[in-house]
Amino acid sequence: MKSLGQGAFAAALIVLAMAGCRRDEAQAPATTASDQAPAAEAPAEGAPAAVELQDVIETNARYVLGISYPPAANKYPGLARVLSDYAGHAKAELLKAVDELGNDKPTAPYELSLAFDMAVDTPRVVAVSAEGSSYTGGAHGQPLVARFVWLPEKEQLLTAQALIDSPKGWQAVSDYTSDKLLEQAMVRAQGQEMTPEEQQAQVRNLSKMIDEGTAPEAANFAQFQPVMDAAGRIAALRFVFPPYQVGPYSDGTQTVDVPAAVLLPHVAADYRELFAHP
């Protein structure tokens, strides 16, 4: 299965599971990966239990679940724990929705499809993307979009709050990203069959969403991944905005690359060495 991309693999898991579900809706739930794994040795007192990331497939008449991981993530135990926790939370939310059905059966099985991909893997910076959706009824599933940046030397997750810790810094990021997102919105509007007046109205509405979604607060920029140069330093940060944050669901996930030259004056001292300097 390694020849498939992780996203394609997760999709394949869902397709196979749905086929099995249709063949026999009355079958018992499949055994989970955690059920199949051998018992691990007890961790040292006070230390978190070790995690080995394994792809997961579960299916029955009420829900279908597929989660895939990049094998390379297991090289970093702390990162593996973070990814496992994120997937576990998404799974728990799905199962909670299933439990709330009581004895009812959904018209279509609830679904969770989640694929983690290794975006960057260098000695100093590692980044993993998470893409997927969770369907618990309604017109469409809820998107799952997340990014995780791990610093192996420090054995810690790099967060937006730690990276830039000043209001002035977030104002600079806000100004840059909002301008770029507005440019992208104008290009999309020009490509649609609308009158100039309709295009202007659409851009005005999107401008309000962009302003709110890029307000200068770290929480609005929590999802990001590094863009590396040939020397292994961060040349830019790609900030990722899930559907609904800076546009309607139909616009999908949007991104803006903010160059190191814009970021460096505001990056906390502990992390400046990771960036390419002009």
Side-chain angles (χ1 to χ4, degrees):
M1 300 296 282
K2 181 61 178 172
S3 60
L4 290 173
Q6 296 294 334
F9 179 59
L13 290 177
I14 290 294
V15 170
L16 290 172
M18 289 292 290
C21 186
R22 283 193 292 269
R23 283 197 303 270
D24 186 5
E25 290 189 347
Q27 69 180 15
T31 305
T32 66
S34 60
D35 293 333
Q36 298 172 347
E41 295 183 3
E45 185 176 354
V51 171
E52 182 178 357
L53 300 175
Q54 297 180 344
D55 296 339
V56 179
I57 177 76
E58 296 182 18
T59 176
N60 58 36
R62 289 154 65 88
Y63 71 87
V64 177
L65 181 153
I67 302 172
S68 63
Y69 299 97
N74 281 307
K75 295 187 298 182
Y76 312 102
L79 174 61
R81 166 59 65 185
V82 171
L83 302 184
S84 176
D85 287 348
Y86 180 86
H89 177 74
K91 178 180 176 179
E93 289 295 305
L94 179 80
L95 296 183
K96 178 182 177 182
V98 172
D99 288 343
E100 290 174 351
L101 290 170
N103 295 324
D104 295 335
K105 179 181 175 181
T107 55
Y110 286 0
E111 295 181 19
L112 171 63
S113 176
L114 181 60
F116 295 92
D117 282 296
M118 188 69 75
V120 175
D121 190 359
T122 71
R124 305 187 72 191
V125 180
V126 175
V128 173
S129 66
E131 299 281 349
S133 66
S134 177
Y135 176 76
T136 55
H140 51 71
Q142 294 299 312
L144 298 174
V145 179
R147 298 294 186 271
F148 308 90
V149 181
W150 185 256
L151 305 180
E153 293 176 336
K154 298 178 182 291
E155 294 191 353
Q156 66 177 215
L157 197 68
L158 178 59
T159 65
Q161 292 90 339
L163 181 67
I164 296 176
D165 57 6
S166 69
K168 183 179 179 181
W170 287 119
Q171 187 64 61
V173 174
S174 173
D175 292 343
Y176 189 94
T177 55
S178 61
D179 286 348
K180 293 298 181 182
L181 288 167
L182 188 57
E183 290 177 10
Q184 296 172 18
M186 293 175 67
V187 171
R188 288 195 302 272
Q190 291 169 1
Q192 299 176 10
E193 295 182 356
M194 295 187 295
T195 66
E197 292 76 14
E198 290 172 334
Q199 291 180 3
Q200 292 175 7
Q202 176 171 301
V203 171
R204 280 197 302 269
N205 290 334
L206 288 175
S207 178
K208 294 178 183 178
M209 296 189 70
I210 290 170
D211 287 345
E212 293 176 359
T214 61
E217 302 170 1
N220 286 328
F221 301 93
Q223 308 304 334
F224 65 91
Q225 68 185 68
V227 178
M228 311 300 289
D229 66 11
R233 293 187 179 273
I234 299 174
L237 287 181
R238 178 167 299 153
F239 288 96
V240 181
F241 303 97
Y244 300 120
Q245 183 173 345
V246 294
Y249 179 86
S250 58
D251 283 348
T253 299
Q254 300 186 57
T255 66
V256 174
D257 289 2
V258 180
V262 174
L263 296 165
L264 265 174
H266 312 290
V267 170
D270 288 347
Y271 307 109
R272 288 176 188 164
E273 62 178 356
L274 299 174
F275 286 76
H277 290 256

